[in-house]
């Protein structure tokens, strides 16, 4: 298995930027696609972005396309989510997750086997 720890969350004003990190330990990191999800109070955990094992392919939710960028550094066993032009509706707990392959079609939580504990992102208006 792989253990995941998110970091980089915090409070930012609308229009600002944050970079979240997902640091992995345990199994070979490059064996896993890594996704990001977010969850706000009273809502279902929703897909944000996913990156393939090598980082060659990414996919983003419509709500973040053009604003968020995923990258990964496999030797450092870390995935980064660069979030720009943040909006108040981006406020949520952000989770990273590892799964066996790059999902096709709609990306859902069951595509992933291992999850971090989440990091809070708050965007003020």
């Amino acid at each position: 298995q792989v253990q995941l720890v998110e970091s980089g969350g915090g409070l930012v004003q609308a229009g600002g930027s944050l970079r979240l990190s997902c640091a992995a330990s345990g199994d070979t990191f490059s064996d896993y696609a890594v996704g990001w999800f977010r969850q706000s109070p009273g809502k279902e955990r929703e897909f944000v972005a996913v990156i393939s094992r090598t980082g060659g392919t990414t996919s983003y939710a419509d709500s973040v396309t053009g604003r968020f960028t995923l990258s990964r550094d496999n030797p450092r066993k870390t995935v980064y989510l660069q979030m720009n032009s943040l909006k108040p509706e981006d406020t949520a707990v952000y989770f990273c997750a590892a799964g066996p392959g790059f999902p096709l079609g709609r990306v859902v939580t069951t595509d992933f086997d291992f999850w971090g504990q989440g990091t809070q992102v708050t965007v003020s208006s």
Side-chain angles (χ1 to χ4, degrees):
Q1 64 175 357
V2 62
Q3 295 79 46
L4 305 173
V5 178
E6 304 94 336
S7 63
L11 175 64
V12 64
Q13 292 184 335
S17 298
L18 285 172
R19 189 181 74 163
L20 305 184
S21 297
C22 177
S25 61
D27 289 351
T28 303
F29 183 60
S30 60
D31 287 347
Y32 298 94
V34 175
W36 284 90
F37 292 76
R38 64 189 183 187
Q39 188 167 26
S40 56
K43 291 188 175 182
E44 185 178 347
R45 191 168 297 187
E46 67 172 339
F47 166 70
V48 175
V50 62
I51 190 166
S52 63
R53 296 179 181 185
T54 63
T57 307
T58 55
S59 182
Y60 301 90
D62 290 344
S63 58
V64 306
T65 295
R67 300 188 297 121
F68 291 10
T69 303
L70 264 182
S71 61
R72 69 189 295 165
D73 186 341
N74 283 342
R76 296 183 178 180
K77 304 176 74 173
T78 303
V79 165
Y80 303 98
L81 180 65
Q82 179 67 46
M83 307 188 297
N84 298 325
S85 302
L86 284 163
K87 305 174 180 179
E89 50 262 46
D90 295 318
T91 295
V93 176
Y94 283 71
F95 301 86
C96 67
F102 190 85
L104 300 176
R106 187 170 67 93
V107 183
V108 296
T109 57
T110 50
D111 291 324
F112 301 90
D113 301 312
F114 308 103
W115 293 80
Q117 293 299 305
T119 185
Q120 177 70 48
V121 171
T122 302
V123 184
S124 62
S125 60

